[in-house]
Amino acid sequence: MQIERKKSIREQVYNYLKEEIVSGRIEEGSRIVEKEFTLKLNVSRTPLREAIRMLELEGLIEARKKGGVAVPKTTKKDIEEVIKIRIALEKVIFLEIFQKITENDIVKLEKNIVKTDLIIHDEKKISSVFKYFSQFNKIIYEVANLPRVVSLIDNLNLYLKKFRKISIENKDRRLNAHRDHVKMVEFLKTNRKVEIIDLNKRHLLEAKEFLIKEIELLEK
């Protein structure tokens, strides 16, 4: 890790560990050994311990009964809870959008759809599909302009980031998600509030079922 002068060492260590955890590079169940990471990151134990404490508060690291800390394993209950909360929060987002969305916002969403459509079948461009899917959500959230709600959603998504990438790697899930985005734009253009909320709920419930199956495969 290259130390940046503009940020505190604690913040840099925190950001580094957080990205390593949510990306899956530090695997679930792995211990965070202080000595190992102080040497690896070339930092003292104090900023490392402060960063670990911050990650503990976010639930990305947990204390072990025998001492030390580790990355907790994602459970089926975790996924069910995260999706249930997202359904509730995104209903708030969509209800707000219908009061604020403009023609320019619709154009942005449609351009995103077109770009995604060009590469959705290309297995070599999955990372770009993931980027466009994330951009689609970002446009939606920006239109709603509810930063606290969006912050809650972003924090929830951290727990499932690596699973979202697995989901996009699955062709059926990828195509279904893209079709749902196309329908969402149509519903926004025609002011169909009930339909878009129902569609988003189904979209998230299907994601939940897929993710639970992935968890079950990892448990075998």
Side-chain angles (χ1 to χ4, degrees), residues 170-187:
N170 180 280
K171 187 175 181 179
D172 289 338
R173 279 295 308 143
R174 189 166 71 247
L175 293 175
N176 286 341
H178 181 52
R179 280 193 288 266
D180 286 346
H181 285 178
V182 173
K183 289 178 183 176
M184 284 178 186
V185 174
E186 286 303 311
F187 290 159

Side-chain angles (χ1 to χ4, degrees), residues 50-65:
E50 290 173 347
I52 287 172
R53 179 56 182 157
M54 291 166 69
L55 292 166
E56 274 190 88
L57 292 172
E58 291 185 1
L60 293 173
I61 286 176
E62 64 181 8
R64 306 186 88 180
K65 292 180 180 179

Side-chain angles (χ1 to χ4, degrees), residues 111-123:
K111 285 182 178 179
N112 176 278
I113 294 292
V114 170
K115 289 178 181 177
T116 308
D117 201 51
L118 292 172
I119 61 172
I120 193 70
H121 295 281
D122 191 338
E123 298 291 336

Side-chain angles (χ1 to χ4, degrees), residues 63-180:
R64 306 186 88 180
K65 292 180 180 179
K66 296 180 180 180
V69 293
V71 178
K73 291 187 177 182
T74 305
T75 66
K76 288 185 279 187
K77 184 179 178 183
D78 292 332
I79 290 174
E80 288 172 352
E81 185 177 358
V82 167
I83 296 299
K84 187 178 290 186
I85 298 170
R86 269 195 64 182
I87 288 171
L89 292 176
E90 291 192 7
K91 180 177 180 179
V92 174
I93 290 285
F94 279 111
L95 288 174
E96 192 73 16
I97 281 174
F98 280 99
Q99 301 176 46
K100 298 176 178 177
I101 197 161
T102 65
E103 287 295 327
N104 187 50
D105 296 323
I106 294 292
V107 169
K108 288 180 183 177
L109 290 168
E110 288 179 328
K111 285 182 178 179
N112 176 278
I113 294 292
V114 170
K115 289 178 181 177
T116 308
D117 201 51
L118 292 172
I119 61 172
I120 193 70
H121 295 281
D122 191 338
E123 298 291 336
K124 295 179 180 179
K125 295 187 177 180
I126 289 174
S127 61
S128 294
V129 173
F130 183 83
K131 181 183 75 173
Y132 288 142
F133 279 5
S134 296
Q135 286 177 354
F136 184 92
N137 291 336
K138 185 179 180 182
I139 295 167
I140 292 290
Y141 297 157
E142 285 177 349
V143 173
N145 193 25
L146 296 173
R148 290 181 179 84
V149 177
V150 173
S151 178
L152 289 170
I153 293 171
D154 286 343
N155 286 334
L156 286 170
N157 286 341
L158 284 176
Y159 296 98
L160 304 181
K161 184 175 179 180
K162 57 180 173 292
F163 290 103
R164 285 180 66 212
K165 288 185 177 180
I166 293 171
S167 178
I168 289 174
E169 287 170 0
N170 180 280
K171 187 175 181 179
D172 289 338
R173 279 295 308 143
R174 189 166 71 247
L175 293 175
N176 286 341
H178 181 52
R179 280 193 288 266
D180 286 346

Side-chain angles (χ1 to χ4, degrees), residues 25-67:
R25 287 190 289 271
I26 297 179
E27 296 181 355
E28 293 185 352
S30 299
R31 293 179 64 233
I32 305 296
V33 181
E34 285 188 9
K35 186 176 181 180
E36 175 187 336
F37 280 93
T38 54
L39 291 172
K40 182 177 182 179
L41 303 178
N42 193 28
V43 297
S44 68
R45 292 198 175 196
T46 298
L48 177 63
R49 285 173 178 170
E50 290 173 347
I52 287 172
R53 179 56 182 157
M54 291 166 69
L55 292 166
E56 274 190 88
L57 292 172
E58 291 185 1
L60 293 173
I61 286 176
E62 64 181 8
R64 306 186 88 180
K65 292 180 180 179
K66 296 180 180 180

